[in-house]
Amino acid sequence: MRILECDAGYILEELDQKLSPHGYMVPLDLGAKGSCLIGGNVSTCAGGVRLLRYGSMHANILGLTVILPDEKGTIIKMGNGLRKDNTSLHSHHLFIGSEGQLGIISRIQLLVAPRPTSINSAFLGIENFQKVTDILRKAKTELSEILSSFELMDSETLKCLEENDGLKSVLPSNPAFAVLIETSGSSKEHDSEKFSKFLESVLENGLAADGVLAESSTEAASFWKLRETAPLSVMKDGYCYKNDISLPLKHFYELTDILRERLGNKCIRVTNYGHVGDGNAHINITSKSYDEELYKMIYPFLYEWVAKHGGSISAEHGIGQLKRPYLHLGKHPNELLLNQRLKQIFDPRGILNPYKMIDSL
């Protein structure tokens, strides 16, 4: 049934490697896969670069074993490894993305995906964001079942990679945006033909200014190295104000331009990279060192703008302490009250992750 049951302490990459000889893979893929734990991935509802294809943790977790913070350390096993089971309230979903507020995840039942035998990757240069959205819609329609990733990097991200890490773009030009598109499937001939036709159409219709098709796994790895190094590269500017937000596609890049105009030369750069395929933007603002004046120019302006335009102030990184004062933005008061009541039920002593995410009643 393609279901894996494992302890929460496995490193994501290690788990994926154990599945590989059996022809399967973990549907989640992150840049931090070599160090992050699968239990932490569930607790933070990690997204990653292939959510577009396989869905979020909520779509892939069938059951959890959780230890409650009561005096007995009660162990609750939720779910039974079935794809369809409507005999309960699906209570294990409460713990996905709960940031350790309600209980400690100890064991996981996870759907795994067949490991693809046919993978195609391309790196496209695009002149404006409207064309990025046009290509995304076209990819979802024409590549449909084999589309696995659609990752965005703007020109400032590519410039940062070259300046801070010596990583040059694989594109011959310097476009405003670069998109990394990946397909994965089981029929090399079918997938390659489909992908080639899509790329030809995108270039012939002027949606992309130029592009590079990976001819080998080594070339594809060089594409992904650019994307996966971006979060580390911005840190080398000195200090980085990191933001992980979700926005409707029509507003995805708008805020980046607004911030550049608002902050001017008070910052080194404003970059935007992320999972445009699912609306998740990582906006990074850098300076030589922490600057209180710059911080106050960014926040709460950024969070309020996101909430006003129908977005989320935390797409996949959670709330923690930093965003706790802004948790109310975009949330109905009754939903926040419900979260407090659930916290009181599961952790009446308030000993799990105090002062984070959920306010006590």
Side-chain angles (χ1 to χ4, degrees), residues 277-320:
D278 56 49
N280 182 186
H282 297 297
I283 297 179
N284 293 265
I285 302 155
T286 65
S287 58
K288 288 184 179 180
S289 59
Y290 176 76
D291 186 324
E292 184 69 19
E293 182 183 355
L294 179 58
Y295 182 89
K296 290 180 179 178
M297 291 179 70
I298 301 170
Y299 310 107
F301 171 81
L302 185 150
Y303 296 144
E304 290 172 348
W305 194 96
V306 169
K308 182 179 178 181
H309 291 81
S312 168
I313 66 170
S314 181
E316 59 182 359
H317 290 174
I319 295 298

Side-chain angles (χ1 to χ4, degrees), residues 45-300:
C45 196
V49 298
R50 296 195 173 92
L51 185 143
L52 178 65
R53 171 70 174 273
Y54 299 106
S56 71
M57 274 296 182
H58 284 284
N60 291 288
I61 297 296
L62 296 181
L64 295 173
T65 300
V66 174
I67 303 168
L68 297 183
D70 56 21
E71 293 181 358
K72 296 180 180 179
T74 302
I75 299 173
I76 301 180
K77 187 177 184 300
M78 295 165 284
N80 52 16
L82 297 175
R83 298 287 299 268
K84 298 178 75 174
D85 177 15
N86 282 334
T87 58
S88 75
L89 295 176
H90 305 283
S91 46
H92 60 280
H93 284 279
L94 286 172
F95 295 85
I96 301 173
S98 65
E99 299 186 33
Q101 289 281 314
L102 306 181
I104 299 172
I105 297 169
S106 64
R107 200 160 177 81
I108 296 157
Q109 290 178 312
L110 173 73
L111 279 175
V112 294
R115 188 170 290 273
T117 55
S118 165
I119 298 177
N120 295 285
S121 303
F123 208 80
L124 300 180
I126 305 165
E127 295 171 346
N128 58 62
F129 190 73
Q130 180 57 54
K131 289 185 177 181
V132 172
T133 63
D134 292 341
I135 293 174
L136 174 59
R137 293 188 183 97
K138 187 177 177 67
K140 286 183 174 181
T141 301
E142 297 180 12
L143 298 176
S144 57
E145 81 284 356
I146 61 171
L147 179 63
S148 52
S149 293
F150 197 100
E151 296 290 302
L152 175 81
M153 287 171 280
D154 66 4
S155 59
E156 277 298 316
T157 301
L158 295 176
K159 182 181 177 182
C160 181
L161 285 164
E162 184 170 356
E163 290 178 352
N164 291 348
D165 292 276
L167 293 176
K168 293 188 176 182
S169 170
V170 298
L171 296 169
S173 63
N174 296 302
F177 299 95
V179 166
L180 172 53
I181 304 177
E182 180 192 80
T183 66
S184 56
S186 59
S187 175
K188 186 174 182 179
E189 184 177 346
H190 166 269
D191 297 350
S192 296
E193 181 181 358
K194 195 170 188 176
F195 196 45
S196 295
K197 286 183 177 179
F198 166 78
L199 294 176
E200 288 173 9
S201 176
V202 164
L203 290 167
E204 287 175 0
N205 292 329
L207 292 176
D210 56 21
V212 179
L213 175 65
E215 298 292 341
S216 65
S217 58
T218 302
E219 286 191 9
S222 71
F223 296 175
W224 278 107
K225 187 175 183 179
L226 289 167
R227 172 61 187 87
E228 292 179 349
T229 306
L232 302 175
S233 189
V234 292
M235 301 290 288
K236 294 179 181 179
D237 277 349
Y239 190 89
C240 185
Y241 308 82
K242 285 185 164 290
N243 300 281
D244 161 56
I245 61 174
S246 281
L247 281 166
L249 200 55
K250 62 182 178 180
H251 297 305
F252 187 92
Y253 201 75
E254 185 181 352
L255 178 57
T256 306
D257 288 331
I258 290 173
L259 286 168
R260 285 184 182 137
E261 182 177 353
R262 177 180 177 86
L263 304 178
N265 59 10
K266 292 187 180 296
C267 66
I268 296 174
R269 69 180 100 232
V270 180
T271 68
N272 187 327
Y273 58 82
H275 322 299
V276 67
D278 56 49
N280 182 186
H282 297 297
I283 297 179
N284 293 265
I285 302 155
T286 65
S287 58
K288 288 184 179 180
S289 59
Y290 176 76
D291 186 324
E292 184 69 19
E293 182 183 355
L294 179 58
Y295 182 89
K296 290 180 179 178
M297 291 179 70
I298 301 170
Y299 310 107

